[in-house]
Amino acid sequence: MEKTTRHAYALELKMLGEDGRFAGYASVFDVTDSQRDIMRRGAFKASLKARDYPVQLLWQHQWESPIGVIEQLFEDRRGLYVEGRLLLEVARAKEAHALLKAGAMRGLSIGYAVKRARRDADSGLRELLEVELWEVSLV
């Protein structure tokens, strides 16, 4: 079985509606994370193209706690852009919406498996060149 990896990013929320709709970046390219990994442009392309089912929107990486739906998900020059909708009839989604509105929820995190990477011998940084995206979580 492939090892699940998670990257957490400061939430770059571009929009949050009263109906639970939101937009922002789930991953940003060319930023070194706390694990000394760098997601590179194009890393999600194959995974997004080959999907047979939608990427899940979860609460805190808990597969048993979906909180909404992802309506758009694509790479642009900056990173992995997501537009979604929290299902406000779901208790955790309603809680997440309140936390987002108050600015208390501070990040998105992605769950994925590394398909292709390379390590820079001088810096020790790992460049993620291709990943299989499994889920996006509010954290």
Side-chain angles (χ1 to χ4, degrees):
M1 178 164 192
E2 298 171 343
K3 181 183 174 208
T4 300
T5 305
R6 297 179 179 132
H7 269 224
Y9 298 91
L11 181 60
E12 294 197 25
L13 197 63
K14 301 295 182 191
M15 179 270 295
L16 176 64
E18 289 302 315
D19 62 354
R21 292 186 186 281
F22 68 94
Y25 285 90
S27 177
V28 179
F29 298 134
D30 304 325
V31 174
T32 304
D33 73 2
S34 62
Q35 304 298 313
R36 299 186 44 80
D37 287 339
I38 302 172
M39 194 69 69
R40 292 298 189 202
R41 188 171 289 124
F44 300 102
K45 189 176 288 187
S47 179
L48 293 174
K49 187 176 182 179
R51 294 206 68 81
D52 291 331
Y53 53 90
V55 172
Q56 296 290 298
L57 178 62
L58 304 177
W59 174 259
Q60 305 284 340
H61 297 292
Q62 297 173 18
W63 283 100
E64 68 280 3
S65 295
I67 58 172
V69 293
I70 294 175
E71 296 177 335
Q72 286 197 58
L73 186 65
F74 57 86
E75 279 194 27
D76 65 13
R77 296 182 76 148
R78 182 167 173 75
L80 182 65
Y81 181 80
V82 61
E83 289 182 10
R85 181 172 39 91
L86 296 168
L87 300 176
L88 299 178
E89 303 82 6
V90 175
R92 288 219 189 263
K94 189 173 183 177
E95 179 182 341
H97 189 250
L99 291 166
L100 285 167
K101 283 192 330 188
M105 182 156 279
R106 303 177 69 101
L108 288 174
S109 183
I110 56 174
Y112 61 90
V114 177
K115 294 297 207 176
R116 194 166 50 91
R118 68 177 170 230
R119 188 161 309 270
D120 183 283
D122 296 327
S123 68
L125 296 175
R126 183 172 68 155
E127 295 179 85
L128 303 175
L129 305 173
E130 183 181 347
V131 300
E132 182 180 349
L133 181 66
W134 291 342
E135 52 93 3
V136 175
S137 285
L138 288 167
V139 295

